[in-house]
Amino acid sequence: SILHATASVLLLSSLCHAGEPVMAPAPVSEPSDEWKFLLSIYAPVMGLDGDVGLGPVGGPVDLPFGDILEDLDASLTVAMEARRGPWSVTGDFFWLKLSTTADLPGDATLDVREQQILSTLSLGYAIYETDRTTLDVLAGAALTYLELDLTLNTPSLPVTERSDSGSRTWIDPYIGLRLRHQLSDRWSILATGMYGGFG
């Protein structure tokens, strides 16, 4: 299965070095009884790496951000968060639609159209919290939907066009960390790292 930190970055720093004392973490601030909600629309910098196939035909796919941007037809990414005290519920919805044409030997070409949906839902708990910085540990699940349409164009053969399509949906559990740091009243940094799939 494909579950990568596609649109996220994990920022961690070591708490100690050999021969140096370990600093105790700052105490968690007093929890609030009020719910706080956040809704964001953002543009991720992402890549696609994994194996994809249709029937007996398949192979590895490695698309850096530049290639995805060139072949991008449409995309939408939405994030939400609800927080009360140290507890939080977060979700992401990511939709991506790509199309490209690959040249094959002779005058044959292969038209590839791909649509992917990645939706995550996680429960978080703050293990470190100050007025400006919060570090949450996460546990959740990610739903992935992948749809692939292939069209083989062979102008020199009696059958000049052959098409096939398929789709697959799966769910991966994951664990992770989320770091938020408030730079000012208007600006903040949010970094999330997830590991999932577990084989």
Side-chain angles (χ1 to χ4, degrees):
S1 61
I2 305 173
L3 180 61
H4 301 277
T6 303
S8 305
V9 181
L10 175 62
L11 301 178
L12 289 177
S13 61
S14 177
L15 293 177
C16 62
H17 300 280
E20 296 182 3
V22 178
M23 301 300 293
V28 176
S29 60
E30 288 295 324
S32 172
D33 291 333
E34 298 181 356
W35 282 99
K36 298 179 181 179
F37 299 92
L38 176 66
L39 179 66
S40 303
I41 298 176
Y42 62 95
V45 177
M46 73 261 175
L48 180 63
D49 182 17
D51 295 318
V52 65
L54 192 58
V57 180
V61 173
D62 185 5
L63 294 176
F65 173 68
D67 291 346
I68 287 184
L69 190 61
E70 182 179 346
D71 299 329
L72 183 65
D73 293 331
S75 69
L76 174 66
T77 309
V78 179
M80 59 78 61
E81 178 182 353
R83 177 177 291 273
R84 184 178 183 182
W87 293 96
S88 63
V89 178
T90 57
D92 272 284
F93 177 83
F94 173 71
W95 171 64
L96 176 69
K97 190 174 183 181
L98 303 170
S99 62
T100 187
T101 299
D103 294 326
L104 301 178
D107 56 356
T109 59
L110 181 65
D111 297 331
V112 181
R113 293 176 298 279
E114 178 185 336
Q115 183 175 200
Q116 183 171 357
I117 294 174
L118 176 63
S119 181
T120 68
L121 183 65
S122 62
L123 178 66
Y125 185 82
I127 58 175
Y128 177 88
E129 188 172 4
T130 66
D131 292 338
R132 290 187 173 270
T133 306
T134 303
L135 179 64
D136 296 325
V137 60
L138 305 175
L143 181 145
T144 302
Y145 170 79
L146 184 62
E147 179 182 310
L148 190 63
D149 297 298
L150 301 178
T151 301
L152 179 62
N153 303 294
T154 51
S156 300
L157 299 179
V159 180
T160 59
E161 184 178 290
R162 285 172 287 183
S163 300
D164 203 352
S165 63
S167 63
R168 179 166 293 182
T169 304
W170 68 91
I171 295 177
D172 286 313
Y174 66 83
I175 56 176
L177 293 172
R178 181 178 59 241
L179 175 69
R180 176 185 285 106
H181 180 68
Q182 196 75 29
L183 298 174
S184 66
D185 293 339
R186 293 179 176 269
W187 293 94
S188 63
I189 295 175
L190 177 63
T192 302
M194 300 182 299
Y195 177 78
F198 305 105

